[in-house]
Amino acid sequence: LFETLISDSTRLLGHDAAQTLEARGGLAWCLSEMGNLQASRGLLEQLLSDQERVLGRESPHALNPRYQLAWCLSRAGATLEAIANFEQILLDQIGALGARAPETLATRYDLAWCPRKLGNISLTIEMLEPLLIDQVPVLGEAAPSSPLTKDLLQRTQSTRTI
């Protein structure tokens, strides 16, 4: 479906049209969700290059594929590369969207997962505690990400005490 949409959008609107770029991002995300991380990474890297060329690196629209690429890297086990990407995205999100924007909070959550994957439980806890404090006033106790953060924090804390 995305491939047809991309083909039609490219033909009708052009390779660099916002709708075409968005459809390409959707295809990359679907591939990532299906576990085809290598193909997703390749599409995201090309999409990111095109979006930055068309929109500029600081564009809020360029943040999403950068986030998707970092998430894909994390999921593929390229944790150190993912950390570097998440850290840069976080700085750019804070500048473009604000420190308490939902997207910024989501990046902080995903960034906190990375040290845990590397066995750095203390750093994960140090990152999750202030995140939870920031999430609740912005998103509320019942927002899906607040209980996820609380659960990850509790599981990580219990890992440290074992």
Side-chain angles (χ1 to χ4, degrees), residues 78 91 106:
L91 291 174

Side-chain angles (χ1 to χ4, degrees), residues 9-158:
S9 183
T10 301
R11 182 174 44 79
L12 296 171
L13 303 172
H15 181 73
D16 294 336
Q19 295 87 341
T20 305
L21 297 172
E22 190 174 319
R24 290 170 55 202
L27 174 60
W29 188 256
C30 286
L31 289 170
S32 177
E33 287 293 308
M34 292 177 358
N36 193 342
L37 300 174
Q38 186 174 357
S40 177
R41 180 179 181 171
L43 286 172
L44 286 167
E45 287 172 344
Q46 183 59 53
L47 173 62
L48 184 55
S49 173
D50 291 344
Q51 278 198 326
E52 288 180 353
R53 178 179 45 77
V54 173
L55 304 171
R57 182 169 173 82
E58 292 77 33
S59 168
H61 296 289
L63 292 172
N64 192 42
R66 290 173 56 207
Y67 170 85
Q68 288 177 335
L69 178 59
W71 188 86
C72 186
L73 291 167
S74 174
R75 192 165 173 212
T79 308
L80 294 175
E81 192 176 353
I83 289 171
N85 279 269
F86 277 133
E87 287 175 341
Q88 185 58 55
I89 293 161
L90 186 59
L91 291 174
D92 293 343
Q93 284 177 323
I94 290 169
L97 306 172
R100 297 179 65 156
E103 297 87 347
T104 306
L105 297 172
T107 299
R108 287 175 58 194
Y109 176 84
D110 289 326
L111 178 58
W113 259 106
C114 292
R116 190 175 199 273
K117 289 181 174 185
L118 297 173
N120 192 338
I121 302 304
S122 296
L123 181 56
T124 298
I125 291 169
E126 288 175 28
M127 295 171 80
L128 288 172
E129 288 174 336
L131 172 59
L132 188 59
I133 291 168
D134 291 344
Q135 275 181 330
V136 172
V138 174
L139 305 173
E141 286 276 350
S145 55
S146 297
L148 286 174
T149 302
K150 185 181 269 186
D151 179 64
L152 178 60
L153 177 59
Q154 289 171 344
R155 286 186 292 126
T156 304
Q157 288 169 329
S158 70

